[in-house]
Structures are given as C-alpha cells and as structure tokens.
Amino acid sequence: MADSSKFRLNGSEVAVTSAADTPLLYVLSDELKLQGPRFGCGLAQCGSCSVLVDGVELRSCVTPLSAVAGKTVTTLEGLPALHAASKGLAKVPEYTPLQQALIDTQAIQCGFCTNGIQIKATELLSKNPAPSEQDIRTAMNGHLCRCGTYPKIIAAIQQAARSMGGKA
Ligand code: FES
Ligand code: FES
C-alpha cells in the first residue's frame, strides 16, 4: 500500500506516493524524474546520490522517504535558485559560482561524481565561506571521483569561495 508523503523540493511542495521506506533516491529519480542525484554504490560510500536536506548533505540512496517528510530537499537542479535566495539575487543564474568554477577548472570529466561534489561543496561553503585547503579535503573526503580530478575539484571550490567573497 503506497503512502502519501509531502516535502519541499527545490522550492516547491511535492506529494509523492512511493512507500515510506523507499530510498529517497528512487523517489527523486523514478517518481519525480530528476536526473541530478545518481546511483553509484547504493551503500552511502561514494556520494553520487547526495542531496541537501534542510541544508545538510545526506546520501539519498540510504535515506528513506519517511525521513524527509515535511523537510526541505535540494537537489542539483535546485542549486542555482538556492544560491540566488542565499545571496538575495533578483534573478536565478544559469550556473552558481561553484558550477562555473567546476567548468573553468575542467573538474568535470565523466561527470558521474559531480552531483555529489556540488551538493557537498555547497554545504561546505554555506557554513564556511573561506575554507582552507585542508577544510576542503576534509569535507570532500567521502566523495569518490573515479576520474581522479581531486586537485581540480579543490581548485574549483577555492575559486568559488573567492568569487563569493571568501578568501580560500
Ligand atoms: S549511491 Fe549513495 S553514496 Fe553511493
Ligand atoms: S569526473 Fe568522473 S567520477 Fe568524477
């Protein structure tokens, strides 16, 4: 028997009918047809499925739908609007400073990890606008990139921090 759960997704209220114990990743991808969160390991080990729940990164592959009832979920698709809201911008940009930095540094190769990288880095920069390299390494430690672009990911996060007024 399907349950009905409501939560806020990328600025809009949504009601879904997946069972309460369905992994949030499946709800986002199968029921809501979002392509940002990706299935990698399914074991909370790689970070490719990450989303923000009330501003905190969670692995959606191991988070049941019931855990986000009434909460605010932000996926990759919602990051530009989240950035605009946090900075009081009148217009939602095409790319966030972080996304632009990932493009500039060519940190996106196959792109499979990039969803989780952006979610985690967004969380980091919201809490720590001027992270040190070690802060970035520590924050990103649980995000695996099979293409090995870690130095470029660090450079991108530093560029994004600088462009948003931090001094990383
Ligand atoms: S798919 Fe969720 S952490 Fe790997
Ligand atoms: S860019 Fe390919 S896994 Fe990170």
Side-chain angles (χ1 to χ4, degrees):
M1 174 83 181
D3 301 319
S4 176
S5 296
K6 294 181 181 175
F7 58 98
R8 193 162 182 82
L9 175 66
N10 297 334
S12 300
E13 295 290 335
V14 293
V16 293
T17 57
S18 298
D21 61 352
T22 306
L24 178 61
L25 175 60
Y26 299 168
V27 178
L28 295 172
S29 60
D30 296 347
E31 186 167 349
L32 295 169
K33 310 299 181 193
L34 296 182
Q35 296 183 334
R38 305 227 172 113
F39 185 95
C41 64
L43 298 168
Q45 298 295 307
C46 72
S48 66
C49 66
S50 289
V51 298
L52 294 173
V53 177
D54 290 345
V56 176
E57 183 232 357
L58 284 183
R59 308 284 161 111
S60 67
C61 67
V62 293
T63 301
L65 171 61
S66 58
V68 301
K71 297 189 176 178
T72 296
V73 176
T74 304
T75 67
L76 177 68
E77 291 84 352
L79 292 183
L82 181 69
H83 173 71
S86 71
K87 298 296 180 187
L89 305 180
K91 188 167 175 249
V92 176
E94 184 175 7
Y95 299 123
T96 67
L98 175 64
Q99 290 170 335
Q100 187 60 58
L102 288 164
I103 294 168
D104 293 345
T105 58
Q106 299 186 336
I108 304 168
Q109 294 300 309
C110 79
F112 203 86
C113 70
T114 311
N115 167 72
I117 298 295
Q118 291 180 60
I119 293 291
K120 187 64 185 180
T122 298
E123 179 203 54
L124 170 66
L125 292 171
S126 72
K127 294 177 178 166
N128 181 359
S132 66
E133 181 175 333
Q134 188 55 50
D135 291 337
I136 296 170
R137 287 180 180 273
T138 299
M140 306 310 293
N141 192 35
H143 287 264
L144 305 183
C145 173
R146 291 174 201 167
C147 300
T149 66
Y150 299 111
K152 293 180 177 182
I153 291 168
I154 293 169
I157 296 170
Q158 290 172 321
Q159 176 182 316
R162 284 193 300 272
S163 70
M164 289 192 287
K167 297 248 187 307

